[in-house]
Amino acid sequence: MYKILIGLFLSVLCLQAKCQIQFDEGSFTEVLVKAKQEKRMVFMDCYTSWCGPCKMMAEKILPLKEVGEYMNGRFVCIKVDMEKGEGPKLAQKYQVSAYPTFLVIKTDGTVMHRIVGGTLDGKEFIRKVDGAFDQNSAASMSAEYMAGNR
């Protein structure tokens, strides 16, 4: 009986893990290398342990099936506590001062898109992340401007 219950419990955990965003456990540099090898971009969840909206996103939005399916196919994802480990250095480099901040980063380490703040809906979150690929987005226009295309 216990073996059946344990097996059922582990099956549910495995199914849930496939539905949510799969965050890489490596360092930021390792994630950049992996993204380059897999020809994907990096998605960075910049959070702090005391941030209420960060906790809400981690508990309610990021585990959603549709969010996981969208993100896992397009990005190598990483979660970074901006107050621990390499977090302070990354917060300074990418000018992260509000939480949560979500960054879409090219494999050369440049920011392609920035989302500041949480969302209350998975579809809205996907729409905001998808804005990274809109040629008329503020981030795309800023990159064009910085490249000299005025």
Side-chain angles (χ1 to χ4, degrees):
M1 180 68 172
Y2 289 112
K3 289 181 182 180
I4 293 172
L5 289 174
I6 290 172
L8 184 61
F9 178 72
L10 291 175
S11 298
V12 170
L13 282 179
C14 289
L15 286 173
Q16 183 179 4
K18 290 182 181 176
C19 295
Q20 62 190 6
I21 295 177
Q22 300 298 309
F23 288 102
D24 201 285
E25 298 294 324
S27 70
F28 181 68
T29 305
E30 292 169 344
V31 168
L32 279 176
V33 169
K34 181 178 179 181
K36 192 172 213 169
Q37 289 172 345
E38 296 179 5
K39 294 181 173 61
R40 296 191 286 167
M41 285 185 266
V42 173
F43 174 82
M44 185 188 319
D45 176 0
C46 306
Y47 73 97
T48 62
S49 60
W50 49 263
C51 169
C54 299
K55 291 176 184 177
M56 185 278 299
M57 290 296 293
E59 293 171 7
K60 303 225 186 279
I61 304 301
L62 301 180
L64 294 173
K65 180 180 179 182
E66 64 267 21
V67 173
E69 288 173 351
Y70 177 84
M71 300 299 289
N72 294 333
R74 290 168 179 79
F75 303 99
V76 176
C77 302
I78 185 171
K79 265 178 103 69
V80 180
D81 185 333
M82 294 286 115
E83 297 181 327
K84 295 180 182 171
E86 64 183 340
K89 184 175 91 176
L90 291 171
Q92 183 178 15
K93 177 180 180 178
Y94 292 114
Q95 300 172 349
V96 176
S97 58
Y99 304 102
T101 294
F102 303 97
L103 302 175
V104 174
I105 302 171
K106 296 178 185 178
T107 56
D108 65 0
T110 60
V111 174
M112 182 176 176
H113 190 60
R114 175 185 307 266
I115 302 165
V116 179
T119 62
L120 297 175
D121 178 67
K123 290 179 183 173
E124 180 185 355
F125 182 71
I126 291 170
R127 184 183 54 74
K128 286 185 175 188
V129 173
D130 208 29
F133 306 103
D134 181 5
Q135 291 183 349
N136 295 322
S137 73
S140 295
M141 297 289 213
S142 176
E144 286 290 319
Y145 183 82
M146 295 306 284
N149 186 6
R150 296 183 170 92

